[in-house]
Each structure stands twice: as structure tokens, then as C-alpha cells.
Amino acid sequence: MNRISHSSLALFTLKGVNSALTAISNFVLAYVLVRTIGLNSYAVIASLLATAALVVQSDLGITGLTFFKLRSHYLAEADRDDASQDDQDLVATIVTLYIAIGVVSVMILAATLAAGLLKVAPHGLAYLLIFAGAVCALPRMALRVAVNARDGFVWTEAVDLGRRVALLAVTVAMLLGLSFVSYSAISLAIWVLSIAGLLGLARLYGFMPRRGAFLNGVRLLRNEIRGVGATVLLSLTDFIISVFPYYLLAVAGDAMAIVAFDMFYKVTRFAVMSYLIGAETVLPQQTRAVHNEDAAGLVRATAKGVMIGLMPMTAGILAIALFGERLFGLILNHNAIVSPVMRIAICAMFAFMLVQTTCQIVLIGVGRFGELARRSCLTLGGMVLVSTLMVLLHWTIDTFIVAYVIVYGAGSVLYAECLYSLSSSLRNKSAREKSPEELQVGTGEI
């Protein structure tokens, strides 16, 4: 088990399969829902999932900080088998809080639907179940980072593989007559089972709940929160940059624009998932290199991640450029929703997202939250300007998306500069440490 856990090939393979399944599942789901409940209802689901993303965002970057802390402790402890008691209590507390947040959010939506404040008949129950499944991502995040921090990347990917296969199967079953409500209920059950699997993995990796863990975990979390301003800021700005067009377009009341952006979002998120195959495969090597102040090792590992990412980037650009019109027309049963301009913008985003994903994953993994937060805020400032101009000048969705991509591209360059600065600082520190020895060699003292 330990040998497989440290296998880069196993991790690369699992992440590749999971990335492919994510893309297939997203687009198959869109294909099925458009044909079973219609475009307008699909737009409601897209907006509802964006609301669920707000719930998941209540993490506020805590899981990113937790991974950095747990990973640092693990590497400093020479890879010992059991997590420290404080680390165990911190993880138990975060998972408990996140489950509670998910339950409360589902109860609030249920009360809203029961009061008739949202007109979603006849699919209200199905929408609620889909929302409940979406917020399961919150405790899942905490469990994944706990296991991954102790080199459990392969096993968390295996659990995700099972979840994605099951979700794809139940989605296809709708084409064979499975009702929308049944699909929603089974999907929620699959999410719950996957969380149970991650809980089992956490126990195997030394995270055992105990009496008094919650109170101690709250104390530890409170101490951490005092210094996570940059983490919270980074998490919020990244989230807003990714999904704010859903809310902006919803206010405008243009259902077709929401569907068009949803396709833009899903395709570009698929690109990110593809890039994570390489970025997270080399993350254990990168974090070890930074821990050991090995600038050359960091560069080598990062280059591997970029080379892996170039393959899906190139394939994605060719696919959208050559077959995008037919692909989106098939999914949405309409040829005019995703325009040629938006397809060009998607191709540009593929390149920019490779740069940003490659840089962001390692920089978060080594705790460079402040530097990332400053750069993300600059990007968000550009997005605010773009949104203001859209409202004032009555831009079309195509003009808005082009401006969005340009601002995002500028932000990705800022992230690349941050990673270059980290590599340079490691290289300079290594040179300063070696210079006394080199001086001794030059004077013949050794």
C-alpha cells in the first residue's frame, strides 16, 4: 500500500481517468437534462449549483492552509505513520463543521422552497437533492487534504474514481427512463458513500476521532484563523473571479446567456481538471523540493507538470477550434448559443489556465498565500472594471467574455512571476549557503 501511495504513475493514471470522467459526466449531464427538462430548467440548475458553490466557498481557503500545515508537519516528522494529536483534532473539527454547514444550507433551501419563495415546480424536490449533493463537496475537501498531506493522493483519487463512475452511470440511466427525482436521490447517495470512503481512508492514515477532539480542534482552528487573512482573501477572490458571471447574467435575466457561460465554465473547468493531472502528480515532489530548499528540483518537477498539461491544452484547443460548433450544438440541441467568438475565447483560456493552475497549486502547497492574494486581488479589480463596463455600455455576452479572458490572462502572468520569484529565492539561498565551502576549496583549506 505504501509503495502504491508513492507511485507517480498510479497517481497520474488515476487523475487522468478522473479528469476524463469529469468532462464526460458534465457534458453527458447537460445533454440529458436539456432533453429531459428543457433549457430553462437547466439554466435554473446551473444557477442553483452556483449557489451551492457559495456554500462550499465558506471554506474560505481553510483547507488550503490545512494542507500546508499538515504537509509541513508530515515532512518534518520524517514521514511517521501517525498524525499528531493536534492534527487529528483539527481535521475532525473541520470535517464536523463542514458537515454541519452543508446540512444547515440544505435546510434553508428546503424552507425557501416550502415557502414558495422560489418558483421551481415541478422539480423542487429534485433541485433540493441536487443541491444537497453539491454541498457534499465541502466535507470532501477537508478529508481529501488530510489524507493527501500524508501522501494519500492515490487513494483519494481512487475514491473519486468510484464516485464519478457511479454518477456517470446514473446519468446515462436517465436516457433509459430513470426519473429526474430518482436520479437526484441516487446521486446524493453516491456522494454520501464517497464521503464515507474518505472517512475510512482518514482513519487508515492516522486521523482517529476522540473525546474532546472538537473543543481542542476549535481552539487550534481559532489560532489558525487569526493569521489566515491572506488565505481567506485568496479563496474569496478566486471564487468570485470564477463564478461571478453566473450572478451578473442572472440579474440581467438572460437565460441563454447563462447557458452560454455555463458551457464556457464547464469546458474551462475541464481544462483545469486536466492540468491538475500533472500539477498534483508533481506536487509531492515540489513540496519536498521547497522543504529541502532545492531550487533545481522545484524547476524539474514544475517542468514535468507543464509538459503533461501541454497535451490536454493542445488537444482541447484543436477540439474546440475544429469541432466546437458541432459539439455545443449536439449538447444544447441548438447551434447558435455558443458563438465563434466565445469558442476562440475558450481556446485562449486553455493556455492561460495552464499557466495559472501550474503555478497556483504549488504556491498554495508551500504556503505562499499572501503573494497569491495580492495578485488575485489585482485580477479581481480588472473583473470589476469589466463588469461595470458591461452594465454601462450594454455589452453582449461575447464582448464580456473576451474582456474576461484578457483580464484572466494578465492575472495568470502575475502568478507565473510569483513562482519564478520563489524559485529565484531558493536558488539564491542555496548559493549563499554553498559560498563558504567554495571559499574553503579555493584557498586549499579542505
Side-chain angles (χ1 to χ4, degrees), residues 88-112:
Q88 294 181 52
D89 293 348
L90 179 62
V91 170
T93 300
I94 293 174
V95 172
T96 301
L97 289 173
Y98 286 1
I99 291 174
I101 290 171
V103 171
V104 170
S105 67
V106 172
M107 293 173 62
I108 292 173
L109 179 60
T112 302

Side-chain angles (χ1 to χ4, degrees), residues 164-185:
R164 289 188 170 102
V165 169
L167 287 174
L168 179 58
V170 74
T171 301
V172 173
M174 276 196 288
L175 293 175
L176 304 176
L178 184 69
S179 70
F180 185 35
V181 172
S182 296
Y183 159 79
S184 305

Side-chain angles (χ1 to χ4, degrees), residues 18 52 55 57 81 135 169 222 228 260 264 291 378 383 398 443:
N18 275 327
V55 178
Q57 188 58 28
D81 292 335
V135 299
R222 185 174 64 246
V228 299
F264 174 89
H291 180 76
L378 289 174
M383 295 299 183
D398 284 349
T443 56

